[in-house]
Amino acid sequence: MARWVRVCGVAEAPQSGHAMEVDVAGVGICLANVNGELSALDNWCPHRRGPLGQGWVEGEAVVCPWHSWTFDVRTGVAEFPAHERVAVFPVLVVGDDVLAELK
Ligand code: FES
């Protein structure tokens, strides 16, 4: 069942062009900011479970810090290899809080 959970405060969220990792109730989330818009992805890269939130933002994608697989922050689809992807969670800003809908 899906549930909305607090990821962090707005003031703690990454600045535009950056990402960070957050543990939310045991779920690892990569919170990325592309042009001021926040996206939440599964933090664990499907290649070898690199921490995407420790990676960096390039264009509209987050880059895994271990071997540079790159994932679109809106769809979670990898640029290469094309059949790979990570989950993307809906994000809301409510007051001073950033929320994500976890499944
Ligand atoms: S663990 Fe992410 S690219 Fe290898």
Side-chain angles (χ1 to χ4, degrees):
M1 186 169 73
R3 60 197 164 108
W4 287 94
V5 296
R6 182 182 185 275
V7 176
C8 65
V10 170
E12 302 159 334
Q15 298 296 307
S16 185
H18 296 274
M20 71 179 205
E21 62 181 348
V22 188
D23 184 285
V24 181
V27 178
I29 289 183
C30 166
L31 189 64
N33 186 329
V34 172
N35 298 324
E37 188 172 331
L38 294 169
S39 297
L41 302 87
D42 181 356
N43 191 48
W44 307 115
C45 178
H47 182 213
R48 295 195 180 159
R49 292 187 58 77
L52 295 181
Q54 293 181 28
W56 59 93
V57 169
E58 278 186 9
E60 297 189 345
V62 64
V63 183
C64 179
W66 286 7
H67 313 99
S68 301
W69 283 18
T70 303
F71 301 89
D72 186 295
V73 297
R74 292 186 179 83
T75 65
V77 173
E79 277 183 16
F80 178 85
H83 63 278
E84 296 289 353
R85 67 186 311 147
V86 293
V88 176
F89 308 108
V91 172
L92 272 180
V93 174
V94 179
D96 293 332
D97 296 322
V98 178
L99 309 178
E101 187 181 33
L102 303 184
K103 304 197 170 56

Coordinates of all heavy atoms in Angstrom, one line a residue:
M1 N 0.9 -1.2 0.0 CA 0.0 0.0 0.0 C 0.9 1.2 0.0 O 1.9 1.3 0.7 CB -0.9 0.0 1.2 CG -1.9 1.1 1.2 SD -3.2 0.9 2.5 CE -2.2 1.3 4.0
A2 N 0.6 2.2 -0.8 CA 1.4 3.4 -0.9 C 1.1 4.3 0.3 O 0.0 4.3 0.8 CB 1.0 4.2 -2.2
R3 N 2.2 5.0 0.7 CA 2.0 6.0 1.8 C 3.0 7.1 1.6 O 4.1 7.0 1.0 CB 2.4 5.3 3.1 CG 3.8 4.7 3.1 CD 4.0 3.7 4.2 NE 5.3 3.0 3.9 CZ 6.4 3.1 4.6 NH1 6.5 3.9 5.6 NH2 7.5 2.4 4.2
W4 N 2.5 8.3 2.0 CA 3.3 9.5 1.9 C 4.2 9.6 3.1 O 3.7 9.5 4.3 CB 2.5 10.8 1.7 CG 1.9 10.9 0.4 CD1 0.6 10.4 0.0 CD2 2.5 11.4 -0.8 NE1 0.4 10.6 -1.3 CE2 1.5 11.3 -1.8 CE3 3.7 12.0 -1.1 CZ2 1.8 11.7 -3.1 CZ3 3.9 12.4 -2.4 CH2 3.0 12.3 -3.4
V5 N 5.5 9.8 3.0 CA 6.4 9.9 4.1 C 7.3 11.2 3.9 O 7.5 11.6 2.8 CB 7.3 8.7 4.2 CG1 6.5 7.5 4.5 CG2 8.1 8.5 3.0
R6 N 7.7 11.8 5.0 CA 8.6 12.9 5.0 C 10.0 12.5 4.7 O 10.5 11.6 5.3 CB 8.6 13.6 6.4 CG 9.4 14.9 6.4 CD 9.4 15.5 7.8 NE 10.1 16.8 7.9 CZ 11.4 16.9 8.0 NH1 12.1 15.8 8.2 NH2 11.9 18.1 8.1
V7 N 10.5 13.1 3.6 CA 11.9 12.8 3.2 C 12.9 13.7 3.9 O 13.9 13.3 4.4 CB 12.1 12.9 1.7 CG1 13.5 12.7 1.2 CG2 11.1 12.0 1.0
C8 N 12.6 15.0 4.0 CA 13.5 16.0 4.6 C 12.7 17.3 4.7 O 11.6 17.4 4.1 CB 14.8 16.1 3.9 SG 14.7 16.8 2.2
G9 N 13.3 18.3 5.3 CA 12.8 19.6 5.2 C 13.2 20.3 3.9 O 14.2 19.9 3.3
V10 N 12.4 21.3 3.5 CA 12.8 22.0 2.2 C 14.2 22.6 2.3 O 14.9 22.5 1.3 CB 11.7 23.1 2.0 CG1 12.1 24.0 0.8 CG2 10.3 22.4 1.7
A11 N 14.5 23.1 3.5 CA 15.8 23.7 3.6 C 17.0 22.7 3.5 O 18.1 23.1 3.2 CB 15.9 24.5 5.0
E12 N 16.7 21.4 3.8 CA 17.7 20.4 3.7 C 17.8 19.8 2.3 O 18.8 19.0 2.1 CB 17.4 19.3 4.7 CG 17.3 19.8 6.2 CD 16.5 18.8 7.0 OE1 15.6 18.1 6.5 OE2 16.7 18.8 8.3
A13 N 16.9 20.0 1.5 CA 16.9 19.4 0.2 C 18.0 19.9 -0.7 O 18.5 21.0 -0.5 CB 15.5 19.7 -0.5
P14 N 18.5 19.1 -1.6 CA 19.6 19.5 -2.5 C 19.3 20.7 -3.3 O 18.2 20.9 -3.7 CB 19.9 18.2 -3.3 CG 18.6 17.5 -3.3 CD 18.0 17.7 -2.0
Q15 N 20.3 21.5 -3.5 CA 20.2 22.6 -4.4 C 20.1 22.2 -5.9 O 20.4 21.0 -6.2 CB 21.4 23.6 -4.3 CG 21.6 24.1 -2.9 CD 20.4 25.0 -2.5 OE1 20.1 26.0 -3.2 NE2 19.7 24.8 -1.4
S16 N 19.7 23.0 -6.8 CA 19.5 22.7 -8.2 C 20.9 22.2 -8.7 O 21.9 22.7 -8.4 CB 19.1 23.9 -9.0 OG 18.9 23.6 -10.3
G17 N 20.8 21.0 -9.4 CA 22.0 20.4 -10.0 C 22.7 19.5 -9.1 O 23.8 19.0 -9.4
H18 N 22.1 19.1 -7.9 CA 22.7 18.2 -7.0 C 21.7 17.1 -6.5 O 20.5 17.2 -6.8 CB 23.1 19.0 -5.7 CG 24.2 20.0 -6.0 ND1 25.5 19.7 -6.0 CD2 24.1 21.3 -6.4 CE1 26.3 20.8 -6.4 NE2 25.4 21.8 -6.6
A19 N 22.3 16.1 -5.9 CA 21.5 15.0 -5.4 C 22.0 14.7 -4.0 O 23.1 15.1 -3.6 CB 21.6 13.8 -6.3
M20 N 21.1 14.0 -3.2 CA 21.6 13.5 -1.9 C 20.8 12.2 -1.6 O 19.8 11.9 -2.2 CB 21.3 14.5 -0.8 CG 19.9 14.7 -0.4 SD 19.7 16.0 0.9 CE 18.2 15.5 1.6
E21 N 21.4 11.4 -0.6 CA 20.7 10.2 -0.3 C 20.0 10.4 1.1 O 20.6 11.1 2.0 CB 21.6 9.0 -0.3 CG 22.8 9.1 0.6 CD 23.6 7.8 0.5 OE1 23.2 6.8 -0.1 OE2 24.7 7.9 1.1
V22 N 18.9 9.8 1.3 CA 18.1 9.8 2.5 C 17.6 8.5 2.8 O 17.1 7.8 1.9 CB 16.9 10.8 2.4 CG1 16.3 11.1 3.7 CG2 17.4 12.1 1.7
D23 N 17.7 8.1 4.1 CA 17.0 6.8 4.5 C 15.7 7.2 5.1 O 15.7 8.0 6.1 CB 17.9 6.1 5.5 CG 17.3 4.8 5.9 OD1 16.3 4.8 6.7 OD2 17.8 3.8 5.5
V24 N 14.6 6.7 4.5 CA 13.3 7.0 5.0 C 12.6 5.7 5.5 O 12.2 4.9 4.6 CB 12.5 7.7 3.9 CG1 11.1 8.1 4.5 CG2 13.1 9.0 3.4
A25 N 12.6 5.6 6.8 CA 11.9 4.4 7.3 C 12.5 3.1 6.7 O 11.8 2.2 6.3 CB 10.4 4.4 7.1
G26 N 13.8 3.1 6.5 CA 14.5 1.9 6.0 C 14.5 1.8 4.5 O 15.0 0.9 3.9
V27 N 14.0 2.8 3.8 CA 14.0 2.9 2.3 C 15.0 3.9 1.9 O 14.9 5.1 2.3 CB 12.6 3.2 1.8 CG1 12.6 3.3 0.2 CG2 11.6 2.2 2.2
G28 N 16.0 3.5 1.1 CA 17.0 4.4 0.6 C 16.5 5.2 -0.6 O 16.0 4.6 -1.6
I29 N 16.5 6.5 -0.5 CA 16.0 7.4 -1.5 C 17.1 8.3 -2.0 O 17.9 8.9 -1.2 CB 14.8 8.2 -1.0 CG1 13.6 7.3 -0.8 CG2 14.4 9.3 -1.9 CD1 12.4 8.0 -0.3
C30 N 17.2 8.5 -3.3 CA 18.0 9.5 -3.9 C 17.1 10.7 -4.3 O 16.2 10.5 -5.1 CB 18.6 9.0 -5.2 SG 19.4 10.2 -6.3
L31 N 17.3 11.8 -3.6 CA 16.6 13.0 -3.9 C 17.4 13.9 -4.7 O 18.5 14.3 -4.4 CB 16.2 13.7 -2.5 CG 15.2 14.9 -2.6 CD1 13.9 14.4 -3.1 CD2 15.1 15.5 -1.2
A32 N 16.9 14.2 -5.9 CA 17.7 15.0 -6.9 C 16.9 16.3 -7.3 O 15.7 16.3 -7.3 CB 17.9 14.2 -8.2
N33 N 17.7 17.3 -7.5 CA 17.1 18.6 -7.9 C 17.6 19.0 -9.3 O 18.8 19.2 -9.5 CB 17.5 19.7 -6.9 CG 16.8 21.0 -7.1 OD1 16.5 21.3 -8.3 ND2 16.6 21.7 -6.1
V34 N 16.6 19.0 -10.2 CA 16.9 19.4 -11.6 C 16.2 20.6 -11.9 O 14.9 20.6 -11.9 CB 16.6 18.3 -12.6 CG1 16.7 18.8 -14.1 CG2 17.4 17.0 -12.4
N35 N 16.9 21.7 -12.1 CA 16.3 23.0 -12.4 C 15.2 23.4 -11.4 O 14.1 23.9 -11.7 CB 15.7 23.0 -13.8 CG 16.8 22.8 -14.9 OD1 17.9 23.2 -14.7 ND2 16.4 22.0 -15.9
G36 N 15.5 23.1 -10.1 CA 14.6 23.5 -9.1 C 13.5 22.5 -8.8 O 12.7 22.8 -7.9
E37 N 13.4 21.5 -9.5 CA 12.3 20.5 -9.3 C 12.9 19.2 -8.7 O 13.9 18.7 -9.2 CB 11.7 20.1 -10.7 CG 10.4 19.2 -10.5 CD 9.7 19.1 -11.8 OE1 9.8 20.0 -12.7 OE2 9.1 18.0 -12.0
L38 N 12.3 18.8 -7.6 CA 12.8 17.7 -6.9 C 12.2 16.4 -7.4 O 11.0 16.3 -7.7 CB 12.5 17.8 -5.4 CG 13.1 18.9 -4.6 CD1 12.5 19.1 -3.2 CD2 14.7 18.7 -4.5
S39 N 13.1 15.3 -7.5 CA 12.6 14.0 -7.8 C 13.2 13.0 -6.8 O 14.3 13.2 -6.3 CB 13.2 13.6 -9.2 OG 12.7 14.5 -10.2
A40 N 12.4 12.0 -6.6 CA 12.9 10.9 -5.6 C 12.9 9.6 -6.4 O 12.0 9.2 -7.0 CB 11.9 10.8 -4.5
L41 N 14.1 9.0 -6.3 CA 14.3 7.7 -7.0 C 14.8 6.7 -5.9 O 15.4 7.0 -4.9 CB 15.4 7.8 -8.0 CG 15.2 8.8 -9.2 CD1 15.8 10.2 -8.8 CD2 15.9 8.3 -10.4
D42 N 14.7 5.4 -6.3 CA 15.3 4.3 -5.5 C 16.8 4.6 -5.5 O 17.4 4.9 -6.5 CB 15.1 3.0 -6.2 CG 15.7 1.8 -5.5 OD1 16.4 2.0 -4.4 OD2 15.5 0.7 -5.9
N43 N 17.4 4.6 -4.3 CA 18.8 5.0 -4.1 C 19.8 4.0 -4.7 O 20.9 4.4 -4.9 CB 19.1 5.3 -2.6 CG 20.4 6.0 -2.4 OD1 20.8 7.0 -3.0 ND2 21.2 5.4 -1.5
W44 N 19.3 2.8 -4.9 CA 20.3 1.7 -5.2 C 20.3 1.4 -6.6 O 19.4 0.9 -7.2 CB 19.9 0.5 -4.3 CG 19.9 0.9 -2.9 CD1 18.8 0.9 -2.1 CD2 20.9 1.4 -2.1 NE1 19.1 1.3 -0.8 CE2 20.4 1.7 -0.8 CE3 22.3 1.7 -2.3 CZ2 21.2 2.2 0.3 CZ3 23.0 2.2 -1.3 CH2 22.5 2.5 0.0
C45 N 21.5 1.6 -7.2 CA 21.7 1.4 -8.7 C 21.5 -0.1 -8.9 O 22.0 -1.0 -8.2 CB 23.1 1.8 -9.0 SG 23.6 1.5 -10.7
P46 N 20.8 -0.5 -10.0 CA 20.6 -1.9 -10.3 C 21.9 -2.6 -10.8 O 21.9 -3.9 -10.9 CB 19.5 -1.9 -11.4 CG 19.6 -0.5 -12.0 CD 20.1 0.4 -10.9
H47 N 22.9 -1.9 -11.1 CA 24.2 -2.5 -11.5 C 24.8 -3.3 -10.4 O 24.7 -4.5 -10.3 CB 25.1 -1.5 -12.1 CG 26.4 -2.1 -12.6 ND1 27.6 -1.4 -12.6 CD2 26.6 -3.3 -13.2 CE1 28.5 -2.2 -13.1 NE2 28.0 -3.3 -13.5
R48 N 25.3 -2.6 -9.4 CA 25.9 -3.2 -8.2 C 25.6 -2.5 -6.9 O 26.3 -2.5 -6.0 CB 27.4 -3.3 -8.4 CG 27.8 -4.2 -9.6 CD 29.3 -4.6 -9.5 NE 29.5 -5.5 -10.7 CZ 30.7 -5.7 -11.2 NH1 31.8 -5.1 -10.6 NH2 30.9 -6.5 -12.2
R49 N 24.4 -1.9 -7.0 CA 23.8 -1.3 -5.8 C 24.7 -0.1 -5.3 O 24.8 0.2 -4.1 CB 23.6 -2.3 -4.6 CG 22.5 -3.2 -5.0 CD 22.1 -4.1 -3.9 NE 21.6 -3.5 -2.7 CZ 20.4 -2.9 -2.5 NH1 19.6 -2.9 -3.5 NH2 20.1 -2.3 -1.3
G50 N 25.2 0.6 -6.3 CA 25.8 1.9 -5.9 C 24.8 2.9 -5.4 O 23.6 2.8 -5.8
P51 N 25.2 3.8 -4.5 CA 24.3 4.8 -3.9 C 24.1 6.0 -4.9 O 24.9 6.9 -4.9 CB 25.0 5.2 -2.7 CG 26.5 5.0 -3.0 CD 26.6 3.9 -4.0
L52 N 23.0 6.0 -5.6 CA 22.7 7.1 -6.5 C 22.7 8.5 -5.9 O 23.2 9.5 -6.5 CB 21.4 6.9 -7.3 CG 21.3 5.6 -8.2 CD1 19.9 5.6 -8.8 CD2 22.4 5.6 -9.2
G53 N 22.3 8.5 -4.6 CA 22.3 9.8 -3.9 C 23.6 10.4 -3.7 O 23.8 11.6 -3.3
Q54 N 24.7 9.6 -3.8 CA 26.0 10.1 -3.7 C 26.6 10.5 -5.0 O 27.8 10.8 -5.1 CB 26.9 9.0 -3.0 CG 26.6 8.8 -1.5 CD 27.5 7.8 -0.9 OE1 28.6 7.6 -1.2 NE2 26.9 7.1 0.1
G55 N 25.8 10.3 -6.1 CA 26.2 10.6 -7.4 C 26.0 12.1 -7.7 O 25.9 12.9 -6.8
W56 N 25.9 12.4 -9.0 CA 25.7 13.8 -9.4 C 24.7 13.9 -10.5 O 24.3 13.0 -11.1 CB 27.1 14.4 -9.8 CG 27.7 13.7 -11.0 CD1 27.6 14.0 -12.3 CD2 28.5 12.6 -10.9 NE1 28.3 13.1 -13.0 CE2 28.9 12.2 -12.2 CE3 29.0 11.8 -9.8 CZ2 29.7 11.1 -12.5 CZ3 29.9 10.7 -10.2 CH2 30.2 10.4 -11.5
V57 N 24.3 15.2 -10.7 CA 23.2 15.4 -11.7 C 23.9 15.9 -13.0 O 24.8 16.8 -13.0 CB 22.2 16.5 -11.2 CG1 21.3 17.0 -12.3 CG2 21.4 15.9 -10.0
E58 N 23.5 15.3 -14.1 CA 23.9 15.8 -15.4 C 22.7 16.0 -16.3 O 21.9 15.0 -16.5 CB 24.8 14.8 -16.1 CG 26.3 14.8 -15.7 CD 27.2 13.9 -16.5 OE1 26.7 13.3 -17.5 OE2 28.3 13.7 -16.1
G59 N 22.4 17.2 -16.7 CA 21.2 17.4 -17.4 C 20.0 17.1 -16.6 O 19.8 17.6 -15.5
E60 N 19.1 16.1 -17.1 CA 17.9 15.7 -16.3 C 18.1 14.3 -15.8 O 17.2 13.6 -15.6 CB 16.7 15.8 -17.2 CG 16.5 17.2 -17.7 CD 15.1 17.4 -18.4 OE1 14.5 16.4 -18.8 OE2 14.7 18.6 -18.5
A61 N 19.4 14.0 -15.5 CA 19.7 12.6 -15.0 C 20.6 12.7 -13.8 O 21.3 13.6 -13.6 CB 20.3 11.8 -16.1
V62 N 20.5 11.6 -13.0 CA 21.5 11.4 -11.9 C 22.4 10.3 -12.4 O 22.0 9.3 -13.0 CB 20.7 11.1 -10.6 CG1 20.0 9.7 -10.7 CG2 21.7 11.1 -9.4
V63 N 23.7 10.5 -12.0 CA 24.8 9.6 -12.4 C 25.2 8.8 -11.2 O 25.6 9.4 -10.2 CB 26.0 10.4 -13.1 CG1 27.0 9.4 -13.6 CG2 25.5 11.3 -14.2
C64 N 25.3 7.5 -11.4 CA 25.8 6.6 -10.3 C 27.3 6.9 -10.1 O 28.0 6.9 -11.0 CB 25.5 5.1 -10.7 SG 26.2 4.0 -9.4
P65 N 27.7 7.1 -8.8 CA 29.1 7.4 -8.5 C 30.1 6.2 -8.7 O 31.3 6.5 -8.8 CB 29.0 7.8 -7.1 CG 27.9 7.1 -6.5 CD 26.9 7.0 -7.6
W66 N 29.5 5.0 -8.9 CA 30.5 3.9 -9.0 C 30.9 3.6 -10.4 O 32.1 3.5 -10.6 CB 29.8 2.6 -8.3 CG 29.8 2.7 -6.8 CD1 30.1 3.8 -6.0 CD2 29.4 1.7 -5.9 NE1 30.0 3.5 -4.7 CE2 29.5 2.2 -4.6 CE3 28.9 0.4 -6.1 CZ2 29.2 1.4 -3.5 CZ3 28.6 -0.4 -5.0 CH2 28.8 0.1 -3.7
H67 N 30.0 3.5 -11.3 CA 30.4 3.1 -12.7 C 29.7 4.0 -13.7 O 29.6 3.6 -14.9 CB 30.2 1.7 -13.0 CG 30.7 0.7 -11.9 ND1 29.8 0.2 -11.0 CD2 31.9 0.3 -11.6 CE1 30.6 -0.6 -10.1 NE2 31.8 -0.5 -10.5
S68 N 29.0 5.1 -13.2 CA 28.5 6.1 -14.1 C 27.3 5.7 -15.0 O 27.0 6.3 -16.0 CB 29.6 6.7 -15.1 OG 30.6 7.2 -14.3
W69 N 26.5 4.7 -14.5 CA 25.2 4.5 -15.2 C 24.4 5.7 -14.9 O 24.5 6.3 -13.8 CB 24.5 3.2 -14.7 CG 25.0 2.0 -15.2 CD1 26.2 1.7 -15.8 CD2 24.4 0.7 -15.2 NE1 26.4 0.4 -16.2 CE2 25.2 -0.3 -15.8 CE3 23.2 0.3 -14.7 CZ2 24.9 -1.6 -15.9 CZ3 22.8 -1.1 -14.8 CH2 23.7 -2.0 -15.4
T70 N 23.5 6.1 -15.8 CA 22.8 7.4 -15.7 C 21.3 7.2 -15.8 O 20.9 6.5 -16.8 CB 23.3 8.3 -16.9 OG1 24.7 8.4 -16.7 CG2 22.7 9.7 -16.8
F71 N 20.6 7.7 -14.9 CA 19.1 7.5 -14.8 C 18.4 8.8 -14.9 O 18.6 9.8 -14.2 CB 18.8 6.8 -13.5 CG 19.5 5.5 -13.4 CD1 20.7 5.4 -12.8 CD2 18.9 4.3 -13.8 CE1 21.4 4.2 -12.6 CE2 19.6 3.1 -13.7 CZ 20.8 3.0 -13.1
D72 N 17.4 8.8 -15.8 CA 16.5 10.0 -15.9 C 15.7 10.2 -14.6 O 15.1 9.2 -14.1 CB 15.5 9.7 -17.1 CG 14.6 11.0 -17.4 OD1 13.8 11.3 -16.5 OD2 14.7 11.5 -18.4
V73 N 15.8 11.4 -14.1 CA 15.2 11.6 -12.7 C 13.6 11.5 -12.8 O 13.0 11.3 -11.7 CB 15.6 12.9 -12.1 CG1 17.1 12.9 -11.9 CG2 15.1 14.1 -12.9
R74 N 13.0 11.7 -13.9 CA 11.6 11.6 -14.0 C 11.0 10.2 -14.2 O 10.0 9.8 -13.8 CB 11.1 12.6 -15.0 CG 11.3 14.0 -14.7 CD 10.7 15.0 -15.6 NE 11.0 16.4 -15.2 CZ 12.1 17.0 -15.4 NH1 13.1 16.4 -16.2 NH2 12.3 18.3 -15.0
T75 N 11.8 9.5 -15.1 CA 11.3 8.1 -15.4 C 12.0 7.0 -14.8 O 11.5 5.9 -14.7 CB 11.4 7.9 -17.0 OG1 12.8 7.9 -17.3 CG2 10.7 9.0 -17.7
G76 N 13.2 7.3 -14.3 CA 14.1 6.3 -13.7 C 14.8 5.4 -14.8 O 15.5 4.5 -14.4
V77 N 14.5 5.6 -16.0 CA 15.1 4.8 -17.1 C 16.6 5.1 -17.3 O 16.9 6.3 -17.3 CB 14.3 5.0 -18.4 CG1 15.0 4.3 -19.6 CG2 12.9 4.5 -18.2
A78 N 17.4 4.1 -17.5 CA 18.8 4.3 -17.7 C 19.1 4.7 -19.1 O 18.4 4.2 -20.0 CB 19.6 3.0 -17.3
E79 N 20.0 5.6 -19.3 CA 20.5 5.9 -20.7 C 21.1 4.6 -21.3 O 21.0 4.3 -22.4 CB 21.5 7.0 -20.7 CG 20.8 8.4 -20.6 CD 21.9 9.5 -20.7 OE1 23.1 9.2 -21.1 OE2 21.5 10.6 -20.4
F80 N 21.9 3.9 -20.4 CA 22.6 2.7 -20.9 C 22.9 1.9 -19.6 O 23.3 2.4 -18.6 CB 23.9 3.0 -21.5 CG 24.7 1.8 -21.9 CD1 24.4 1.2 -23.1 CD2 25.6 1.2 -21.1 CE1 25.1 0.0 -23.5 CE2 26.3 0.0 -21.4 CZ 26.0 -0.6 -22.6
P81 N 22.6 0.6 -19.7 CA 21.9 -0.1 -20.8 C 20.4 0.2 -20.7 O 19.8 0.4 -19.6 CB 22.1 -1.6 -20.5 CG 22.4 -1.6 -19.0 CD 23.0 -0.3 -18.6
A82 N 19.7 0.3 -21.9 CA 18.4 0.8 -22.0 C 17.3 0.0 -21.2 O 16.3 0.6 -20.8 CB 18.0 0.9 -23.5
H83 N 17.5 -1.2 -21.0 CA 16.5 -2.0 -20.3 C 16.5 -1.9 -18.8 O 15.7 -2.4 -18.1 CB 16.6 -3.5 -20.7 CG 17.9 -4.1 -20.2 ND1 19.1 -4.0 -20.9 CD2 18.2 -4.8 -19.1 CE1 20.0 -4.6 -20.3 NE2 19.5 -5.2 -19.2
E84 N 17.5 -1.1 -18.3 CA 17.6 -0.9 -16.8 C 16.8 0.3 -16.3 O 16.7 1.2 -17.1 CB 19.1 -0.8 -16.4 CG 19.9 -2.0 -16.7 CD 19.6 -3.2 -15.7 OE1 18.8 -3.0 -14.8 OE2 20.1 -4.3 -16.0
R85 N 16.4 0.3 -15.1 CA 15.7 1.4 -14.5 C 15.7 1.3 -13.0 O 15.9 0.2 -12.4 CB 14.3 1.5 -15.1 CG 13.4 0.4 -14.6 CD 12.0 0.4 -15.3 NE 11.4 1.7 -15.2 CZ 10.6 2.3 -16.1 NH1 10.3 1.6 -17.2 NH2 10.1 3.5 -15.9
V86 N 15.4 2.4 -12.4 CA 15.1 2.4 -10.9 C 13.7 3.0 -10.7 O 13.2 3.7 -11.6 CB 16.2 3.3 -10.2 CG1 17.5 2.6 -10.2 CG2 16.2 4.7 -10.7
A87 N 13.1 2.7 -9.6 CA 11.8 3.2 -9.2 C 11.9 4.7 -9.0 O 12.9 5.2 -8.5 CB 11.3 2.5 -8.0
V88 N 10.8 5.4 -9.4 CA 10.7 6.8 -9.1 C 9.4 7.0 -8.3 O 8.4 6.4 -8.5 CB 10.5 7.6 -10.4 CG1 10.3 9.1 -10.2 CG2 11.8 7.4 -11.3
F89 N 9.6 7.8 -7.2 CA 8.5 8.0 -6.3 C 7.9 9.4 -6.5 O 8.7 10.4 -6.6 CB 9.0 7.8 -4.8 CG 9.7 6.6 -4.6 CD1 11.1 6.5 -4.4 CD2 9.0 5.3 -4.6 CE1 11.8 5.3 -4.2 CE2 9.7 4.1 -4.4 CZ 11.1 4.1 -4.2
P90 N 6.6 9.6 -6.5 CA 6.0 10.9 -6.5 C 6.5 11.8 -5.4 O 6.7 11.3 -4.3 CB 4.5 10.7 -6.4 CG 4.3 9.3 -6.9 CD 5.6 8.5 -6.5
V91 N 6.7 13.1 -5.6 CA 7.2 14.0 -4.6 C 6.2 15.2 -4.5 O 5.7 15.7 -5.5 CB 8.6 14.6 -5.0 CG1 9.1 15.7 -4.1 CG2 9.6 13.4 -5.0
L92 N 6.1 15.6 -3.2 CA 5.2 16.8 -2.9 C 6.0 17.7 -1.9 O 6.7 17.1 -1.1 CB 3.9 16.4 -2.3 CG 2.7 16.1 -3.1 CD1 1.6 15.7 -2.2 CD2 2.3 17.2 -4.0
V93 N 5.9 19.0 -2.1 CA 6.4 19.9 -1.0 C 5.1 20.4 -0.3 O 4.2 21.0 -1.0 CB 7.2 21.0 -1.6 CG1 7.5 22.0 -0.5 CG2 8.5 20.5 -2.3
V94 N 5.0 20.1 1.0 CA 3.9 20.6 1.8 C 4.5 21.4 2.9 O 5.1 20.9 3.8 CB 3.1 19.4 2.3 CG1 1.9 19.9 3.2 CG2 2.6 18.5 1.2
G95 N 4.2 22.7 2.8 CA 4.8 23.6 3.9 C 6.3 23.5 3.8 O 6.9 23.8 2.7
D96 N 6.9 23.2 4.9 CA 8.4 23.1 5.0 C 8.9 21.7 4.8 O 10.1 21.5 5.0 CB 8.9 23.6 6.4 CG 8.6 25.1 6.6 OD1 8.5 25.8 5.6 OD2 8.4 25.5 7.7
D97 N 8.1 20.8 4.4 CA 8.5 19.4 4.2 C 8.4 18.9 2.8 O 7.5 19.2 2.0 CB 7.5 18.5 5.1 CG 7.6 18.8 6.6 OD1 8.8 19.1 7.0 OD2 6.6 18.8 7.2
V98 N 9.4 18.0 2.5 CA 9.4 17.3 1.2 C 8.9 15.9 1.5 O 9.4 15.2 2.4 CB 10.8 17.2 0.6 CG1 10.8 16.4 -0.7 CG2 11.4 18.6 0.4
L99 N 7.9 15.5 0.8 CA 7.3 14.2 1.0 C 7.4 13.3 -0.3 O 7.5 13.9 -1.4 CB 5.8 14.3 1.3 CG 5.3 15.3 2.4 CD1 3.8 15.3 2.4 CD2 5.9 14.9 3.7
A100 N 7.5 12.0 -0.1 CA 7.5 11.1 -1.2 C 6.5 10.0 -0.9 O 6.3 9.7 0.2 CB 8.9 10.5 -1.4
E101 N 5.9 9.5 -2.0 CA 5.0 8.4 -1.9 C 5.7 7.1 -2.1 O 6.0 6.8 -3.3 CB 3.8 8.6 -2.9 CG 2.7 7.6 -2.7 CD 1.6 7.8 -3.7 OE1 1.8 8.2 -4.8 OE2 0.4 7.5 -3.3
L102 N 5.8 6.4 -1.1 CA 6.5 5.1 -1.2 C 5.5 4.0 -1.4 O 4.4 4.0 -0.9 CB 7.3 4.8 0.1 CG 8.4 5.8 0.4 CD1 9.1 5.4 1.7 CD2 9.3 6.1 -0.7
K103 N 5.9 2.9 -2.1 CA 4.9 1.8 -2.4 C 5.2 0.7 -1.4 O 6.3 0.5 -0.9 CB 5.1 1.4 -3.8 CG 4.8 2.6 -4.7 CD 4.5 2.2 -6.1 CE 4.0 3.4 -6.9 NZ 4.9 4.5 -6.9
Ligands
FES1 S1 26.9 0.3 -9.3 FE1 25.9 2.0 -10.4 S2 26.9 1.9 -12.3 FE2 27.8 0.3 -11.2

